[in-house]
Amino acid sequence: MKKLLTVLAALCIVLLTACGPGERVFSTGNSEPMTRNLYAMNTFMTLTAYGSKADGALALAAARINDLESRLSATADSSQVAKLNLTGSGQLDDELIALLRRCMELQELTGGALRPDLYRLTALWGFTTGDYRIPSDAEIEAVLEGLRGENPVVINGNTVTLGAVSIDFGAVGKGYASQQAAETLKSNGVTSALLSLGGNIQTVGLKPNGAMWRVGIQSPWDTSATAGVLTVGETAVITSGGYQRYFEEDGISYIHIMDPETGRPVENDLASVTIVAPDGTMADAFSTALFVMGREGAVQFWREHSSDFQAVLILKDGSILVTEGLKESFSGGTFETITR
Ligand code: AMP
Ligand code: MG
């Protein structure tokens, strides 16, 4: 049953990805879209690009995503991250070291709401295998001790030394990958593209006819419906939500986003957080971190960093909060504007 729920949730995301208003690609007559589908990072991805260079560039973008996954996925046994996690000390290549450093900066910036080293926690609750379970307090406490340790992650050149923690790029991997795929498309002559990596959208340029993109935000309660639509230019639009992956036991939902303070799945007033930012890694990191913070913390965090990103918060009571910078871009639902 638990597995079934996850599969259904994943399928619904895919359906929205394929059919949601924001992600539907309309032919303009100027240029037919080329589309490439792939399954990577536990996600069905659809890469769409326009123009005469689209086909070749899409193949390179897909290869870039597959290559990244093979290096940074903690669950792929042969990846650099999996090997590091196994031994507690090892080398990462330059790109992964840069990504890890970036994650640690974002950890600092988010006051520890983002923890790129909480793999043992997600594993403990079964999210890494799908064998979900509720751990004992003692098991949770043992993992928390590692997270509370002094300098749990030490980087020296390309060598990483871990305390009693393991690395998990799950909260940023897709945002980073979509940003890199967009760069690959651009450097191979594509000026218009829309990349859909599950709940993560990255656009390149504008539509071929010069119009903005329309990106649907999934309803947390009916994943085949949208809670609103964002009209955007070139940007990342990334959503985190408990509905994307969870299991239920005795009528209680346990979601895949962990509170690093309690060692338990987040339980607060938020149903989803969507971040709009030029930087995909930051957008993905913040979607997860703001989800952990809850409404009040998320709004306060946005006020302190409002020049870096904008957000749409969907609360469990159904209300929608939209930060000031998106109030003209958001349509399709009643919302309250968050001002600075
Ligand atoms: P996202 O869907 O971007 O919100 O990322 C969720 C994934 O990131 C989870 O499946 C875990 O692999 C990992 N994760 C969960 N909680 C956290 C957290 N507080 N900080 C960093 N990574 C997390
Ligand atoms: Mg994220």
Side-chain angles (χ1 to χ4, degrees):
M1 182 62 191
K2 296 169 195 167
K3 273 187 187 157
L4 182 69
L5 284 173
T6 306
V7 170
L8 283 177
L11 190 67
C12 290
I13 292 166
V14 174
L15 289 175
L16 182 84
T17 304
C19 313
E23 292 130 45
R24 208 176 283 151
V25 176
F26 299 100
S27 169
T28 62
N30 297 340
S31 148
E32 288 302 318
M34 295 290 307
T35 295
R36 179 173 274 263
N37 295 304
L38 67 150
Y39 183 78
M41 304 180 174
N42 293 318
T43 306
F44 289 99
M45 304 182 178
T46 304
L47 316 182
T48 303
Y50 294 84
S52 57
K53 306 275 178 57
D55 203 14
L58 282 171
L60 294 171
R64 180 83 168 103
I65 293 171
N66 283 326
D67 176 57
L68 270 172
E69 178 183 28
S70 73
R71 291 186 286 135
L72 61 69
S73 162
T75 50
D77 285 350
S78 57
S79 81
Q80 293 176 40
V81 170
K83 284 182 188 154
L84 168 65
N85 285 344
L86 198 66
T87 56
S89 176
Q91 303 260 314
L92 295 182
D93 66 35
D94 291 351
E95 185 178 19
L96 297 194
I97 287 287
L99 183 60
L100 184 56
R101 283 193 188 282
R102 183 87 207 284
C103 286
M104 289 168 74
E105 284 164 19
L106 293 166
Q107 172 180 330
E108 182 81 24
L109 195 67
T110 59
L114 181 86
R115 287 292 306 238
D117 54 355
L118 56 47
Y119 183 78
R120 292 186 188 187
L121 210 49
T122 41
L124 190 62
W125 289 82
F127 284 102
T128 54
T129 56
D131 292 328
Y132 303 122
R133 58 185 282 267
I134 300 170
S136 69
D137 290 351
E139 286 174 299
I140 294 171
E141 194 48 41
V143 175
L144 283 177
E145 254 175 56
L147 287 167
R148 290 184 197 128
E150 220 175 302
N151 299 323
V153 180
V154 176
I155 303 175
N156 189 354
N158 284 65
T159 304
V160 180
T161 308
L162 303 175
V165 296
S166 303
I167 300 299
D168 181 353
F169 282 126
V172 297
K174 279 186 277 175
Y176 180 74
S178 56
Q179 188 180 338
Q180 293 307 312
E183 289 306 322
T184 301
L185 292 178
K186 287 203 259 185
S187 59
N188 286 281
V190 169
T191 54
S192 176
L194 184 140
L195 313 180
S196 172
L197 281 64
N200 294 4
I201 301 294
Q202 171 75 52
T203 60
V204 172
L206 297 171
K207 287 189 192 179
N209 65 357
M212 308 271 268
W213 304 98
R214 286 164 51 77
V215 176
I217 299 178
Q218 207 166 31
S219 161
W221 299 280
D222 174 2
T223 44
S224 62
T226 51
V229 175
L230 287 167
T231 304
V232 295
E234 179 167 314
T235 190
V237 181
I238 294 186
T239 300
S240 285
Y243 67 91
Q244 291 172 343
R245 202 156 172 226
Y246 62 96
F247 68 93
E248 279 180 353
E249 202 155 306
D250 297 330
I252 299 172
S253 286
Y254 298 91
I255 70 164
H256 69 128
I257 301 173
M258 297 286 151
D259 183 338
E261 287 286 319
T262 63
R264 293 164 195 280
V266 170
E267 237 195 296
N268 61 26
D269 46 7
L270 293 174
S272 76
V273 173
T274 298
I275 304 290
V276 179
D279 176 340
T281 310
M282 177 191 272
D284 203 354
F286 284 178
S287 72
T288 310
L290 268 67
F291 195 94
V292 173
M293 292 174 196
R295 173 201 171 137
E296 222 179 285
V299 167
Q300 192 188 327
F301 186 83
W302 174 74
R303 288 195 172 120
E304 286 160 13
H305 303 276
S306 59
S307 55
D308 293 336
F309 75 100
Q310 300 297 323
V312 177
L313 309 180
I314 303 185
L315 304 191
K316 279 188 179 150
D317 68 10
S319 51
I320 301 176
L321 310 182
V322 174
T323 59
E324 214 167 21
L326 289 178
K327 71 173 189 234
E328 307 299 338
S329 323
F330 186 87
S331 59
T334 321
F335 65 91
E336 183 188 324
T337 306
I338 306 296
T339 56
R340 289 177 181 90

